Amino acid sequence: MTDAVFQETTAEPRTQSVPLSHLSLELGHLYMEDFEGGPGRLRRHFERVRPWVDAVHADAAAQAGGRRPRISTCFLVDDYFTRFSTPADVVPVLVEEAGRAGLVIDYLARESGCAVADKVPLAESVVARLVASPPPGSHGLRPPVSETGWLANGQRSPAPRTPQAMRRAGPWRPPQETSARRHSVFMDVELWSDDEDGRRQWSCPLLAAVWQLVRLGLLRNEGEPVLTPRPGNAGRLPDDWDELPPLLQLNASATPFSAYRTCSVLPHRFLPVEHAVRVVLDQTEVDAGALRQIAERSAREGTPVPEAVADRVTYVFHAGP
């Protein structure tokens, strides 16, 4: 007789790679009120964005060391918090006004696709990957983020306790940022809210974090890429947002949607949201296979990327409306 060793075949899926540009450049993220301002409002937006886009291109070229960097552009439309007009009315005007400023929108995304895309619950999957490590000195009194829907970048100020008879309440203590440099910049981020009927609405910071992870090519569903672009034409679009693919490729000659790094050119009103995005990214356990693939490919290309995912995300905040 011979000794036989039996081993179960693992059910872990193979992580599929995605094509990558060097930089994913976001040209805007507008809401209903921005589109209600008409073509003139969109024109002013792109005219204000254009100089910063030129600066980002120049910086990317300098970082590439003489090589021509692969840069794709994208634009995010909010169809999640408020439904307005139709894709057939909005997208052609958006593309036209960008063109007037000398800009090309390669990819158009719906914000609702950052919640659920092709029946894959992206926002929920990111929440499941959150690893909120206890701040130093904490004693597990804080409920987990899966119960509260709140994620902090440090230790909250302790809630005052009702003093017992003949005893005084403990002294107030300030919140403390986990990685503070001399002084704390504490942030507590709401990830979702539930209405009276139990319907969940994901917050803007969480959806924006999903958006960044997709642009960085780091999200997978059972090993397969999510929110993949589909070819489209700005002149032939449906009248219902739900009939529009979550991510549309408007420029057939564009470089890949996902990239080693991202840069978003946004009005300064987005600064608090994007600070919250970094808090989420810093505490998200990203797919190890995707991270490894990108590290190996970037090394072969001589394009190093920061180890921390949040450090791969950059911004330009302008004084737009």
Side-chain angles (χ1 to χ4, degrees), residues 9-205:
T9 302
T10 62
E12 183 179 351
R14 174 181 174 272
T15 302
Q16 184 177 337
S17 63
V18 297
L20 294 167
S21 291
H22 291 104
L23 182 70
S24 165
L25 178 56
E26 184 177 5
L27 302 180
H29 177 172
L30 300 182
Y31 293 97
M32 179 185 67
E33 57 268 24
D34 298 301
F35 289 98
E36 285 181 337
R41 176 74 173 266
L42 296 176
R43 188 174 310 134
R44 290 189 296 273
H45 166 80
F46 288 116
E47 287 173 349
R48 187 175 289 271
V49 164
R50 174 58 194 267
W52 299 110
V53 169
D54 291 342
V56 170
H57 273 266
D59 179 69
Q63 296 296 327
R67 296 172 298 172
R68 183 177 180 179
R70 302 186 302 273
I71 302 176
S72 64
T73 63
C74 58
F75 197 97
L76 189 65
V77 175
D78 172 32
D79 70 324
Y80 180 76
F81 295 102
T82 307
R83 286 296 173 97
F84 63 95
S85 190
T86 69
D89 291 333
V90 169
V91 178
V93 176
L94 189 66
V95 172
E96 180 180 355
E97 294 304 330
R100 284 176 180 266
L103 300 172
V104 176
I105 300 175
D106 294 328
Y107 300 93
L108 180 84
R110 296 165 45 209
E111 191 162 14
S112 61
C114 296
V116 178
D118 300 322
K119 299 182 180 181
V120 178
L122 300 186
E124 185 177 336
S125 69
V126 170
V127 169
R129 286 184 168 273
L130 291 176
V131 182
S133 56
S138 64
H139 303 286
L141 297 177
R142 183 163 128 190
V145 63
S146 59
E147 294 180 10
T148 65
W150 286 82
L151 184 71
N153 65 344
Q155 177 65 56
R156 296 179 176 94
S157 181
R161 298 180 179 180
T162 303
Q164 299 176 359
M166 305 302 292
R167 292 182 62 184
R168 294 183 179 179
W172 175 82
R173 285 185 294 170
Q176 184 177 8
E177 181 186 1
T178 300
S179 302
R181 294 188 177 182
R182 297 187 179 89
H183 298 85
S184 289
V185 180
F186 180 80
M187 173 169 279
D188 218 347
V189 183
E190 186 176 20
L191 302 180
W192 70 77
S193 60
D194 294 328
D195 62 19
E196 296 178 354
D197 297 324
R199 290 188 295 265
R200 178 155 295 182
Q201 185 179 68
W202 303 108
S203 71
C204 188

Side-chain angles (χ1 to χ4, degrees), residues 281-298:
L281 294 179
D282 276 337
Q283 300 182 65
T284 301
E285 185 179 12
V286 180
D287 185 280
L291 281 173
R292 184 173 57 254
Q293 288 175 349
I294 289 176
E296 293 172 352
R297 291 171 61 181
S298 64

